[in-house]
PDB file of all heavy atoms in Angstrom:
ATOM      1  N   ALA A1216       1.518   9.419  -5.965  1.00  0.00           N
ATOM      2  CA  ALA A1216       2.006  10.740  -5.745  1.00  0.00           C
ATOM      3  C   ALA A1216       2.884  11.289  -6.888  1.00  0.00           C
ATOM      4  O   ALA A1216       2.765  12.330  -7.375  1.00  0.00           O
ATOM      5  CB  ALA A1216       2.655  10.919  -4.375  1.00  0.00           C
ATOM      6  N   LEU A1217       3.792  10.430  -7.262  1.00  0.00           N
ATOM      7  CA  LEU A1217       4.740  10.833  -8.299  1.00  0.00           C
ATOM      8  C   LEU A1217       4.016  10.847  -9.664  1.00  0.00           C
ATOM      9  O   LEU A1217       4.321  11.715 -10.503  1.00  0.00           O
ATOM     10  CB  LEU A1217       5.952   9.829  -8.381  1.00  0.00           C
ATOM     11  CG  LEU A1217       6.790   9.941  -7.108  1.00  0.00           C
ATOM     12  CD1 LEU A1217       7.891   8.957  -7.171  1.00  0.00           C
ATOM     13  CD2 LEU A1217       7.509  11.324  -7.049  1.00  0.00           C
ATOM     14  N   ALA A1218       3.124  10.002  -9.886  1.00  0.00           N
ATOM     15  CA  ALA A1218       2.382   9.924 -11.195  1.00  0.00           C
ATOM     16  C   ALA A1218       1.520  11.205 -11.222  1.00  0.00           C
ATOM     17  O   ALA A1218       1.412  11.874 -12.276  1.00  0.00           O
ATOM     18  CB  ALA A1218       1.552   8.770 -11.236  1.00  0.00           C
ATOM     19  N   LEU A1219       0.926  11.610 -10.067  1.00  0.00           N
ATOM     20  CA  LEU A1219       0.100  12.840 -10.072  1.00  0.00           C
ATOM     21  C   LEU A1219       0.992  14.052 -10.371  1.00  0.00           C
ATOM     22  O   LEU A1219       0.562  14.875 -11.150  1.00  0.00           O
ATOM     23  CB  LEU A1219      -0.599  12.950  -8.766  1.00  0.00           C
ATOM     24  CG  LEU A1219      -1.469  14.239  -8.480  1.00  0.00           C
ATOM     25  CD1 LEU A1219      -2.662  14.299  -9.564  1.00  0.00           C
ATOM     26  CD2 LEU A1219      -1.975  14.288  -7.073  1.00  0.00           C
ATOM     27  N   ALA A1220       2.130  14.117  -9.798  1.00  0.00           N
ATOM     28  CA  ALA A1220       3.089  15.203 -10.083  1.00  0.00           C
ATOM     29  C   ALA A1220       3.482  15.228 -11.499  1.00  0.00           C
ATOM     30  O   ALA A1220       3.448  16.326 -12.134  1.00  0.00           O
ATOM     31  CB  ALA A1220       4.235  15.097  -9.158  1.00  0.00           C
ATOM     32  N   LEU A1221       3.725  14.133 -12.141  1.00  0.00           N
ATOM     33  CA  LEU A1221       4.179  14.106 -13.488  1.00  0.00           C
ATOM     34  C   LEU A1221       2.970  14.523 -14.372  1.00  0.00           C
ATOM     35  O   LEU A1221       3.107  15.260 -15.352  1.00  0.00           O
ATOM     36  CB  LEU A1221       4.649  12.724 -13.823  1.00  0.00           C
ATOM     37  CG  LEU A1221       5.130  12.505 -15.307  1.00  0.00           C
ATOM     38  CD1 LEU A1221       6.309  13.365 -15.580  1.00  0.00           C
ATOM     39  CD2 LEU A1221       5.603  11.067 -15.454  1.00  0.00           C
ATOM     40  N   TRP A1222       1.830  13.977 -14.181  1.00  0.00           N
ATOM     41  CA  TRP A1222       0.623  14.332 -14.860  1.00  0.00           C
ATOM     42  C   TRP A1222       0.335  15.785 -14.825  1.00  0.00           C
ATOM     43  O   TRP A1222       0.022  16.475 -15.890  1.00  0.00           O
ATOM     44  CB  TRP A1222      -0.650  13.525 -14.395  1.00  0.00           C
ATOM     45  CG  TRP A1222      -1.889  14.004 -15.010  1.00  0.00           C
ATOM     46  CD1 TRP A1222      -2.460  13.636 -16.251  1.00  0.00           C
ATOM     47  CD2 TRP A1222      -2.829  14.841 -14.474  1.00  0.00           C
ATOM     48  NE1 TRP A1222      -3.547  14.172 -16.426  1.00  0.00           N
ATOM     49  CE2 TRP A1222      -3.890  14.924 -15.353  1.00  0.00           C
ATOM     50  CE3 TRP A1222      -2.918  15.456 -13.262  1.00  0.00           C
ATOM     51  CZ2 TRP A1222      -4.994  15.702 -15.195  1.00  0.00           C
ATOM     52  CZ3 TRP A1222      -4.049  16.380 -12.993  1.00  0.00           C
ATOM     53  CH2 TRP A1222      -5.056  16.489 -13.991  1.00  0.00           C
ATOM     54  N   ALA A1223       0.410  16.418 -13.631  1.00  0.00           N
ATOM     55  CA  ALA A1223       0.189  17.839 -13.419  1.00  0.00           C
ATOM     56  C   ALA A1223       1.205  18.657 -14.189  1.00  0.00           C
ATOM     57  O   ALA A1223       0.872  19.746 -14.848  1.00  0.00           O
ATOM     58  CB  ALA A1223       0.192  18.232 -11.975  1.00  0.00           C
ATOM     59  N   GLN A1224       2.484  18.196 -14.316  1.00  0.00           N
ATOM     60  CA  GLN A1224       3.467  18.928 -15.066  1.00  0.00           C
ATOM     61  C   GLN A1224       3.087  19.028 -16.503  1.00  0.00           C
ATOM     62  O   GLN A1224       3.268  19.970 -17.198  1.00  0.00           O
ATOM     63  CB  GLN A1224       4.876  18.225 -14.880  1.00  0.00           C
ATOM     64  CG  GLN A1224       5.682  18.940 -13.908  1.00  0.00           C
ATOM     65  CD  GLN A1224       7.096  18.299 -13.801  1.00  0.00           C
ATOM     66  OE1 GLN A1224       7.326  17.178 -14.254  1.00  0.00           O
ATOM     67  NE2 GLN A1224       8.048  19.043 -13.253  1.00  0.00           N
ATOM     68  N   ARG A1225       2.619  17.848 -17.014  1.00  0.00           N
ATOM     69  CA  ARG A1225       2.298  17.740 -18.454  1.00  0.00           C
ATOM     70  C   ARG A1225       1.020  18.617 -18.687  1.00  0.00           C
ATOM     71  O   ARG A1225       0.976  19.319 -19.720  1.00  0.00           O
ATOM     72  CB  ARG A1225       1.963  16.347 -18.823  1.00  0.00           C
ATOM     73  CG  ARG A1225       3.380  15.559 -18.846  1.00  0.00           C
ATOM     74  CD  ARG A1225       3.132  14.178 -19.519  1.00  0.00           C
ATOM     75  NE  ARG A1225       4.232  13.315 -19.283  1.00  0.00           N
ATOM     76  CZ  ARG A1225       5.382  13.330 -19.935  1.00  0.00           C
ATOM     77  NH1 ARG A1225       5.701  14.310 -20.695  1.00  0.00           N
ATOM     78  NH2 ARG A1225       6.349  12.434 -19.617  1.00  0.00           N
ATOM     79  N   VAL A1226       0.029  18.616 -17.890  1.00  0.00           N
ATOM     80  CA  VAL A1226      -1.128  19.378 -18.033  1.00  0.00           C
ATOM     81  C   VAL A1226      -0.790  20.902 -17.990  1.00  0.00           C
ATOM     82  O   VAL A1226      -1.340  21.659 -18.777  1.00  0.00           O
ATOM     83  CB  VAL A1226      -2.247  19.036 -17.028  1.00  0.00           C
ATOM     84  CG1 VAL A1226      -3.376  20.053 -16.942  1.00  0.00           C
ATOM     85  CG2 VAL A1226      -2.725  17.619 -17.251  1.00  0.00           C
ATOM     86  N   ALA A1227       0.114  21.214 -17.094  1.00  0.00           N
ATOM     87  CA  ALA A1227       0.465  22.591 -16.903  1.00  0.00           C
ATOM     88  C   ALA A1227       1.150  23.199 -18.122  1.00  0.00           C
ATOM     89  O   ALA A1227       1.134  24.410 -18.389  1.00  0.00           O
ATOM     90  CB  ALA A1227       1.448  22.826 -15.668  1.00  0.00           C
ATOM     91  N   GLN A1228       1.684  22.396 -19.050  1.00  0.00           N
ATOM     92  CA  GLN A1228       2.365  22.805 -20.264  1.00  0.00           C
ATOM     93  C   GLN A1228       1.421  23.132 -21.404  1.00  0.00           C
ATOM     94  O   GLN A1228       1.827  23.718 -22.390  1.00  0.00           O
ATOM     95  CB  GLN A1228       3.401  21.843 -20.660  1.00  0.00           C
ATOM     96  CG  GLN A1228       4.521  21.774 -19.748  1.00  0.00           C
ATOM     97  CD  GLN A1228       5.439  20.534 -20.055  1.00  0.00           C
ATOM     98  OE1 GLN A1228       5.301  19.725 -20.958  1.00  0.00           O
ATOM     99  NE2 GLN A1228       6.543  20.443 -19.290  1.00  0.00           N
ATOM    100  N   ARG A1229       0.080  22.876 -21.198  1.00  0.00           N
ATOM    101  CA  ARG A1229      -0.887  23.037 -22.281  1.00  0.00           C
ATOM    102  C   ARG A1229      -0.970  24.612 -22.462  1.00  0.00           C
ATOM    103  O   ARG A1229      -0.956  25.397 -21.548  1.00  0.00           O
ATOM    104  CB  ARG A1229      -2.231  22.527 -21.918  1.00  0.00           C
ATOM    105  CG  ARG A1229      -2.286  20.984 -21.926  1.00  0.00           C
ATOM    106  CD  ARG A1229      -3.729  20.569 -21.619  1.00  0.00           C
ATOM    107  NE  ARG A1229      -3.805  19.130 -21.418  1.00  0.00           N
ATOM    108  CZ  ARG A1229      -4.811  18.548 -21.043  1.00  0.00           C
ATOM    109  NH1 ARG A1229      -5.975  19.246 -20.664  1.00  0.00           N
ATOM    110  NH2 ARG A1229      -4.832  17.199 -20.926  1.00  0.00           N
ATOM    111  N   ALA A1230      -1.287  25.048 -23.666  1.00  0.00           N
ATOM    112  CA  ALA A1230      -1.456  26.368 -23.972  1.00  0.00           C
ATOM    113  C   ALA A1230      -2.780  26.932 -23.531  1.00  0.00           C
ATOM    114  O   ALA A1230      -3.713  26.111 -23.370  1.00  0.00           O
ATOM    115  CB  ALA A1230      -1.352  26.595 -25.542  1.00  0.00           C
ATOM    116  N   PRO A1231      -2.887  28.217 -23.228  1.00  0.00           N
ATOM    117  CA  PRO A1231      -4.225  28.784 -22.817  1.00  0.00           C
ATOM    118  C   PRO A1231      -5.208  28.526 -23.903  1.00  0.00           C
ATOM    119  O   PRO A1231      -4.899  28.471 -25.062  1.00  0.00           O
ATOM    120  CB  PRO A1231      -3.869  30.259 -22.644  1.00  0.00           C
ATOM    121  CG  PRO A1231      -2.372  30.367 -22.476  1.00  0.00           C
ATOM    122  CD  PRO A1231      -1.799  29.191 -23.238  1.00  0.00           C
ATOM    123  N   THR A1232      -6.468  28.563 -23.455  1.00  0.00           N
ATOM    124  CA  THR A1232      -7.607  28.458 -24.281  1.00  0.00           C
ATOM    125  C   THR A1232      -8.547  29.594 -24.113  1.00  0.00           C
ATOM    126  O   THR A1232      -8.243  30.410 -23.215  1.00  0.00           O
ATOM    127  CB  THR A1232      -8.374  27.107 -24.151  1.00  0.00           C
ATOM    128  OG1 THR A1232      -8.965  27.092 -22.826  1.00  0.00           O
ATOM    129  CG2 THR A1232      -7.433  25.940 -24.254  1.00  0.00           C
ATOM    130  N   ALA A1233      -9.613  29.623 -24.957  1.00  0.00           N
ATOM    131  CA  ALA A1233     -10.584  30.731 -24.650  1.00  0.00           C
ATOM    132  C   ALA A1233     -11.267  30.648 -23.332  1.00  0.00           C
ATOM    133  O   ALA A1233     -11.604  31.591 -22.695  1.00  0.00           O
ATOM    134  CB  ALA A1233     -11.671  30.629 -25.742  1.00  0.00           C
ATOM    135  N   ARG A1234     -11.422  29.367 -22.803  1.00  0.00           N
ATOM    136  CA  ARG A1234     -12.114  29.263 -21.458  1.00  0.00           C
ATOM    137  C   ARG A1234     -10.949  29.230 -20.313  1.00  0.00           C
ATOM    138  O   ARG A1234     -11.257  29.524 -19.241  1.00  0.00           O
ATOM    139  CB  ARG A1234     -12.775  27.897 -21.403  1.00  0.00           C
ATOM    140  CG  ARG A1234     -14.063  27.883 -22.233  1.00  0.00           C
ATOM    141  CD  ARG A1234     -14.894  26.688 -22.029  1.00  0.00           C
ATOM    142  NE  ARG A1234     -14.901  26.104 -20.688  1.00  0.00           N
ATOM    143  CZ  ARG A1234     -15.870  26.374 -19.779  1.00  0.00           C
ATOM    144  NH1 ARG A1234     -16.678  27.393 -19.882  1.00  0.00           N
ATOM    145  NH2 ARG A1234     -15.781  25.699 -18.588  1.00  0.00           N
ATOM    146  N   ARG A1235      -9.761  28.912 -20.651  1.00  0.00           N
ATOM    147  CA  ARG A1235      -8.716  28.943 -19.641  1.00  0.00           C
ATOM    148  C   ARG A1235      -7.659  29.885 -20.115  1.00  0.00           C
ATOM    149  O   ARG A1235      -6.573  29.522 -20.564  1.00  0.00           O
ATOM    150  CB  ARG A1235      -8.131  27.505 -19.550  1.00  0.00           C
ATOM    151  CG  ARG A1235      -9.041  26.398 -19.186  1.00  0.00           C
ATOM    152  CD  ARG A1235      -9.128  26.209 -17.696  1.00  0.00           C
ATOM    153  NE  ARG A1235      -9.917  25.051 -17.338  1.00  0.00           N
ATOM    154  CZ  ARG A1235     -11.185  25.061 -17.050  1.00  0.00           C
ATOM    155  NH1 ARG A1235     -11.833  26.203 -17.002  1.00  0.00           N
ATOM    156  NH2 ARG A1235     -11.823  23.899 -16.728  1.00  0.00           N
ATOM    157  N   THR A1236      -7.952  31.211 -19.873  1.00  0.00           N
ATOM    158  CA  THR A1236      -7.059  32.209 -20.400  1.00  0.00           C
ATOM    159  C   THR A1236      -5.749  32.240 -19.722  1.00  0.00           C
ATOM    160  O   THR A1236      -4.655  32.640 -20.288  1.00  0.00           O
ATOM    161  CB  THR A1236      -7.794  33.577 -20.245  1.00  0.00           C
ATOM    162  OG1 THR A1236      -8.069  33.814 -18.891  1.00  0.00           O
ATOM    163  CG2 THR A1236      -8.954  33.700 -21.165  1.00  0.00           C
ATOM    164  N   TYR A1237      -5.756  31.789 -18.484  1.00  0.00           N
ATOM    165  CA  TYR A1237      -4.463  31.667 -17.735  1.00  0.00           C
ATOM    166  C   TYR A1237      -3.702  30.480 -18.159  1.00  0.00           C
ATOM    167  O   TYR A1237      -2.511  30.418 -17.946  1.00  0.00           O
ATOM    168  CB  TYR A1237      -4.720  31.691 -16.215  1.00  0.00           C
ATOM    169  CG  TYR A1237      -3.590  31.742 -15.353  1.00  0.00           C
ATOM    170  CD1 TYR A1237      -2.720  32.811 -15.219  1.00  0.00           C
ATOM    171  CD2 TYR A1237      -3.163  30.503 -14.685  1.00  0.00           C
ATOM    172  CE1 TYR A1237      -1.581  32.765 -14.429  1.00  0.00           C
ATOM    173  CE2 TYR A1237      -2.056  30.451 -13.858  1.00  0.00           C
ATOM    174  CZ  TYR A1237      -1.226  31.585 -13.751  1.00  0.00           C
ATOM    175  OH  TYR A1237      -0.098  31.593 -13.004  1.00  0.00           O
ATOM    176  N   GLY A1238      -4.318  29.519 -18.744  1.00  0.00           N
ATOM    177  CA  GLY A1238      -3.734  28.280 -19.076  1.00  0.00           C
ATOM    178  C   GLY A1238      -3.920  27.262 -18.010  1.00  0.00           C
ATOM    179  O   GLY A1238      -4.982  27.312 -17.327  1.00  0.00           O
ATOM    180  N   PHE A1239      -3.136  26.248 -17.962  1.00  0.00           N
ATOM    181  CA  PHE A1239      -3.365  25.103 -17.030  1.00  0.00           C
ATOM    182  C   PHE A1239      -2.244  25.009 -15.967  1.00  0.00           C
ATOM    183  O   PHE A1239      -2.014  24.056 -15.315  1.00  0.00           O
ATOM    184  CB  PHE A1239      -3.382  23.839 -17.763  1.00  0.00           C
ATOM    185  CG  PHE A1239      -4.618  23.819 -18.781  1.00  0.00           C
ATOM    186  CD1 PHE A1239      -4.553  24.360 -20.016  1.00  0.00           C
ATOM    187  CD2 PHE A1239      -5.753  23.134 -18.349  1.00  0.00           C
ATOM    188  CE1 PHE A1239      -5.671  24.283 -20.857  1.00  0.00           C
ATOM    189  CE2 PHE A1239      -6.867  23.077 -19.182  1.00  0.00           C
ATOM    190  CZ  PHE A1239      -6.729  23.611 -20.415  1.00  0.00           C
ATOM    191  N   ARG A1240      -1.584  26.193 -15.734  1.00  0.00           N
ATOM    192  CA  ARG A1240      -0.439  26.238 -14.728  1.00  0.00           C
ATOM    193  C   ARG A1240      -0.969  25.774 -13.344  1.00  0.00           C
ATOM    194  O   ARG A1240      -0.175  25.328 -12.557  1.00  0.00           O
ATOM    195  CB  ARG A1240       0.176  27.639 -14.628  1.00  0.00           C
ATOM    196  CG  ARG A1240       0.765  28.129 -15.943  1.00  0.00           C
ATOM    197  CD  ARG A1240       1.969  27.292 -16.479  1.00  0.00           C
ATOM    198  NE  ARG A1240       3.008  27.188 -15.542  1.00  0.00           N
ATOM    199  CZ  ARG A1240       4.035  26.436 -15.546  1.00  0.00           C
ATOM    200  NH1 ARG A1240       4.159  25.592 -16.564  1.00  0.00           N
ATOM    201  NH2 ARG A1240       4.915  26.421 -14.634  1.00  0.00           N
ATOM    202  N   ARG A1241      -2.187  26.100 -12.968  1.00  0.00           N
ATOM    203  CA  ARG A1241      -2.556  25.830 -11.660  1.00  0.00           C
ATOM    204  C   ARG A1241      -2.731  24.246 -11.354  1.00  0.00           C
ATOM    205  O   ARG A1241      -2.936  23.907 -10.232  1.00  0.00           O
ATOM    206  CB  ARG A1241      -3.954  26.539 -11.301  1.00  0.00           C
ATOM    207  CG  ARG A1241      -3.878  27.983 -11.230  1.00  0.00           C
ATOM    208  CD  ARG A1241      -3.178  28.487 -10.011  1.00  0.00           C
ATOM    209  NE  ARG A1241      -2.772  29.902 -10.079  1.00  0.00           N
ATOM    210  CZ  ARG A1241      -3.443  30.805  -9.540  1.00  0.00           C
ATOM    211  NH1 ARG A1241      -4.459  30.641  -8.840  1.00  0.00           N
ATOM    212  NH2 ARG A1241      -2.919  32.095  -9.578  1.00  0.00           N
ATOM    213  N   ALA A1242      -2.730  23.507 -12.455  1.00  0.00           N
ATOM    214  CA  ALA A1242      -2.777  22.055 -12.281  1.00  0.00           C
ATOM    215  C   ALA A1242      -1.577  21.534 -11.371  1.00  0.00           C
ATOM    216  O   ALA A1242      -1.797  20.670 -10.541  1.00  0.00           O
ATOM    217  CB  ALA A1242      -2.584  21.302 -13.608  1.00  0.00           C
ATOM    218  N   GLU A1243      -0.491  22.177 -11.463  1.00  0.00           N
ATOM    219  CA  GLU A1243       0.675  21.892 -10.581  1.00  0.00           C
ATOM    220  C   GLU A1243       0.430  22.198  -9.125  1.00  0.00           C
ATOM    221  O   GLU A1243       0.680  21.425  -8.206  1.00  0.00           O
ATOM    222  CB  GLU A1243       1.905  22.476 -11.032  1.00  0.00           C
ATOM    223  CG  GLU A1243       2.511  21.930 -12.374  1.00  0.00           C
ATOM    224  CD  GLU A1243       3.878  22.649 -12.775  1.00  0.00           C
ATOM    225  OE1 GLU A1243       3.924  23.896 -12.805  1.00  0.00           O
ATOM    226  OE2 GLU A1243       4.793  21.805 -13.061  1.00  0.00           O
ATOM    227  N   THR A1244      -0.270  23.360  -8.975  1.00  0.00           N
ATOM    228  CA  THR A1244      -0.680  23.704  -7.562  1.00  0.00           C
ATOM    229  C   THR A1244      -1.728  22.777  -6.955  1.00  0.00           C
ATOM    230  O   THR A1244      -1.616  22.427  -5.793  1.00  0.00           O
ATOM    231  CB  THR A1244      -1.069  25.134  -7.593  1.00  0.00           C
ATOM    232  OG1 THR A1244      -0.100  26.002  -8.115  1.00  0.00           O
ATOM    233  CG2 THR A1244      -1.409  25.675  -6.136  1.00  0.00           C
ATOM    234  N   LEU A1245      -2.593  22.441  -7.774  1.00  0.00           N
ATOM    235  CA  LEU A1245      -3.646  21.488  -7.274  1.00  0.00           C
ATOM    236  C   LEU A1245      -3.010  20.093  -6.994  1.00  0.00           C
ATOM    237  O   LEU A1245      -3.312  19.482  -5.980  1.00  0.00           O
ATOM    238  CB  LEU A1245      -4.733  21.220  -8.399  1.00  0.00           C
ATOM    239  CG  LEU A1245      -5.756  22.402  -8.568  1.00  0.00           C
ATOM    240  CD1 LEU A1245      -6.530  22.147  -9.843  1.00  0.00           C
ATOM    241  CD2 LEU A1245      -6.644  22.547  -7.347  1.00  0.00           C
ATOM    242  N   ALA A1246      -2.066  19.667  -7.725  1.00  0.00           N
ATOM    243  CA  ALA A1246      -1.407  18.388  -7.547  1.00  0.00           C
ATOM    244  C   ALA A1246      -0.546  18.490  -6.231  1.00  0.00           C
ATOM    245  O   ALA A1246      -0.566  17.587  -5.446  1.00  0.00           O
ATOM    246  CB  ALA A1246      -0.510  17.980  -8.642  1.00  0.00           C
ATOM    247  N   ALA A1247       0.120  19.631  -6.014  1.00  0.00           N
ATOM    248  CA  ALA A1247       0.877  19.878  -4.793  1.00  0.00           C
ATOM    249  C   ALA A1247       0.027  19.777  -3.634  1.00  0.00           C
ATOM    250  O   ALA A1247       0.295  19.184  -2.548  1.00  0.00           O
ATOM    251  CB  ALA A1247       1.561  21.243  -4.911  1.00  0.00           C
ATOM    252  N   CYS A1248      -1.186  20.457  -3.674  1.00  0.00           N
ATOM    253  CA  CYS A1248      -2.115  20.406  -2.594  1.00  0.00           C
ATOM    254  C   CYS A1248      -2.561  18.972  -2.290  1.00  0.00           C
ATOM    255  O   CYS A1248      -2.603  18.521  -1.184  1.00  0.00           O
ATOM    256  CB  CYS A1248      -3.315  21.344  -2.946  1.00  0.00           C
ATOM    257  SG  CYS A1248      -4.422  21.563  -1.533  1.00  0.00           S
TER     258      CYS A1248
END
Side-chain angles (χ1 to χ4, degrees):
L1217 294 175
L1219 178 62
L1221 182 60
W1222 173 80
Q1224 261 183 342
R1225 294 195 192 281
V1226 169
Q1228 293 173 353
R1229 291 183 187 171
T1232 66
R1234 288 186 37 89
R1235 304 272 190 259
T1236 57
Y1237 182 73
F1239 294 85
R1240 300 295 303 169
R1241 294 286 167 101
E1243 289 184 308
T1244 305
L1245 286 169
C1248 188

